[in-house]
Amino acid sequence: MSFAGILGQPIAVSTLRRALATGRAHHAYRFEGPPGVGKLTTALALAQALLCDAPRDGEGCGACDACKRVVTRSSSGSLPVHPDVLMVQLGLYDAETLGRKTEEVRDISVNQIRKVVLARM
């Protein structure tokens, strides 16, 4: 997976490439938009570029163990197996994981940030 394969997002891709090239990537990025615009593809391409064992031209090689683990899903089928890739998304985690009584339906909950993000720090 590389930035070259991302269609229709030239500004987003150039922003990410520039951040990587200058060594000034932010600690977090928010990918949002309607379904099908390439949010997940772009996020995974960025993760590969940051974690790749043998990057090429500022992008992930797609072949090393780190790149493969970024795009390989866990047994639950929704989360990458790479331990350094963390995803936050509405409805991604079940209520029990988040310590809630009900599923998230409108917003990403504070519990998701506490249980998923802060717990890893």
Side-chain angles (χ1 to χ4, degrees):
M1 186 172 306
S2 71
F3 292 122
I6 299 166
L7 306 175
Q9 299 295 333
I11 295 171
V13 169
S14 69
T15 299
L16 294 172
R17 281 182 167 154
R18 188 171 47 254
L20 292 165
T22 61
R24 299 190 69 167
H26 290 276
H27 71 283
Y29 285 92
R30 178 178 172 170
F31 296 85
E32 66 177 306
V37 297
K39 299 178 297 288
L40 180 60
T41 303
T42 305
L44 294 176
L46 173 62
Q48 283 184 323
L50 290 168
L51 297 168
C52 184
D53 293 330
R56 299 180 196 152
D57 299 323
E59 297 192 18
C61 70
C64 70
D65 183 58
C67 284
K68 288 178 183 176
R69 291 172 67 192
V70 165
V71 297
T72 301
R73 299 286 186 232
S74 66
S75 59
S76 68
S78 58
L79 300 172
V81 296
H82 197 293
D84 293 331
V85 178
L86 177 63
M87 297 178 87
V88 176
Q89 178 181 330
L90 178 63
L92 186 60
Y93 301 95
D94 61 31
E96 185 178 321
T97 300
L98 301 179
R100 295 175 54 107
K101 294 179 183 176
T102 60
E103 300 289 324
E104 297 171 316
V105 289
R106 286 193 350 231
D107 300 309
I108 295 170
S109 68
V110 171
N111 280 3
Q112 185 172 155
I113 302 304
R114 287 181 181 146
K115 297 279 186 172
V116 177
V117 178
L118 297 179
R120 295 181 78 175
M121 297 181 141

